[in-house]
Amino acid sequence: MSIGHTYENMARLVRAVTGEVPSAATLPSAYRATISILRPMPAEGTGLSISYEDGEWAAHCMKHGIFEHIFKGAGTTDGPKREVWDERVNEALALIEAISPELRLMVDLLVTDLVIVNTGADGGGSASHIPGVVVMSPGPKWGVLDYAMCLVHEGMHLNLFVGDSVYGTFTLPSSELEAEQYRALSAVKIGQRRPLDKAFHAAVVTVPLMFMEHHQGKTTLVDLYTKSLRDACVDLKKQRPHFTEYGRMLLDELCGFGETINFADVARAIRGAEFAGYRPSVAA
């Protein structure tokens, strides 16, 4: 996902919901006002709002069974623990900025609320029906790069949700994509076949994670995901008829990277505007 395309998709969502046509300068606040209409609690006007297991978002998620695998067994945390988490998050945002200012901008635009809990789940979560919200359960051995990758990982999911809400990515609803004939190999849960939308999301979000590790001189995820991403792309392309025109564009870009694993192309795509101005027939 490029920053130009992200801006355009967010602006289209703002216009669809509110009728407002935001400028680049007003988009961040306009988007926050828009998602405040679409979710049960509003987004703050600026910045990243951090809460914990005793916050309103945690209570909402636990009440409605959202991210049960993350919230299950959440323990209480004290001030010193929360201060450490806050410091790691600030360091992670600075690291994202150092890796790619445009990637940091995407996170700043898309992630408005961060819920940090201590459950041992070692991961994160985001959902299309609560835009802007990311839940994080840091692993005991997480470094700053792990925090940064979690924020980017979930931010990219949120980015895909925005694009899907504006254009539609698949020709079938998510409930139907659960069927066996629409499943595809996962690039992350290696060897598993997942519903098409989940397999596609998982494949897409491997790209910025591999890019970030490569930038930092690490190869763990690059080594782990290179083959599984290629295998996933082969399987995803078999499901091409069930992608919309917009979804096929994303699929083609993903598979192009899977073939080359060219991180210079990823860097150009993130900061570029070549996908801005996309006009599929469904949006005409």
Side-chain angles (χ1 to χ4, degrees):
M1 302 296 282
S2 74
I3 189 62
H5 191 54
T6 299
Y7 261 87
E8 181 171 81
N9 285 359
M10 294 173 74
R12 282 176 173 265
L13 182 63
V14 169
R15 183 176 183 180
V17 175
T18 69
E20 177 186 353
V21 181
S23 66
T26 63
L27 179 63
S29 59
Y31 180 72
R32 286 175 179 245
T34 298
I35 64 174
S36 294
I37 297 170
L38 301 175
R39 61 187 215 179
M41 287 175 280
E44 295 291 332
T46 58
L48 178 63
S49 299
I50 301 178
S51 61
Y52 312 94
E53 77 280 348
D54 55 355
E56 289 185 306
W57 275 115
H60 174 80
C61 289
M62 287 187 281
K63 178 180 178 180
H64 296 281
I66 304 170
F67 309 128
E68 286 183 297
H69 66 293
I70 300 176
F71 282 102
K72 184 178 180 180
T76 58
T77 54
D78 56 17
K81 181 66 174 179
R82 295 178 181 187
E83 288 175 6
V84 170
W85 279 341
D86 291 356
E87 184 178 354
R88 292 294 90 78
V89 168
N90 287 330
E91 291 172 345
L93 292 171
L95 178 57
I96 298 168
E97 174 86 19
I99 293 172
S100 169
E102 293 80 13
L103 198 58
R104 165 68 188 270
L105 180 55
M106 279 189 248
V107 171
D108 288 344
L109 287 168
L110 291 155
V111 183
T112 62
D113 299 84
L114 176 63
V115 186
I116 314 179
V117 292
N118 183 19
T119 67
D122 191 5
S126 52
S128 60
H129 62 289
I130 45 174
V133 179
V134 166
V135 174
M136 174 190 291
S137 177
K141 297 182 180 180
W142 275 23
V144 174
L145 181 59
D146 298 292
Y147 282 83
M149 290 194 297
C150 183
L151 288 169
V152 170
H153 177 151
E154 300 305 336
M156 288 304 103
H157 279 301
L158 294 174
N159 212 347
L160 288 168
F161 291 141
V162 173
D164 186 60
S165 68
V166 172
Y167 300 114
T169 307
F170 304 98
T171 60
L172 298 170
S174 182
S175 58
E176 291 189 32
L177 296 177
E178 296 278 346
E180 183 61 35
Q181 66 263 36
Y182 304 126
R183 292 185 171 236
L185 285 171
S186 173
V188 177
K189 296 183 178 181
I190 298 172
Q192 292 187 27
R193 300 184 65 80
R194 302 188 69 197
L196 183 58
D197 52 348
K198 294 179 175 60
F200 179 64
H201 265 244
V204 170
V205 299
T206 64
V207 177
L209 302 187
M210 294 167 71
F211 168 73
M212 292 173 72
E213 273 211 341
H214 173 76
H215 185 279
Q216 294 298 291
K218 300 180 182 295
T219 65
T220 302
L221 292 184
V222 178
D223 295 340
L224 180 64
Y225 291 148
T226 293
K227 183 180 185 304
S228 66
L229 176 59
R230 287 173 174 162
D231 291 343
C233 286
V234 169
D235 223 27
L236 287 165
K237 284 193 285 189
K238 295 175 184 177
Q239 300 289 349
R240 187 180 176 84
H242 306 299
F243 284 79
T244 63
E245 180 185 338
Y246 176 71
R248 291 174 187 176
M249 181 191 76
L250 299 183
L251 177 64
D252 291 345
E253 291 300 318
L254 169 68
C255 294
F257 171 76
E259 291 171 1
T260 64
I261 313 296
N262 187 327
F263 294 109
D265 287 345
V266 177
R268 283 193 295 271
I270 289 172
R271 66 176 179 264
E274 59 265 38
F275 299 114
Y278 179 71
R279 298 288 187 274
S281 57
V282 294

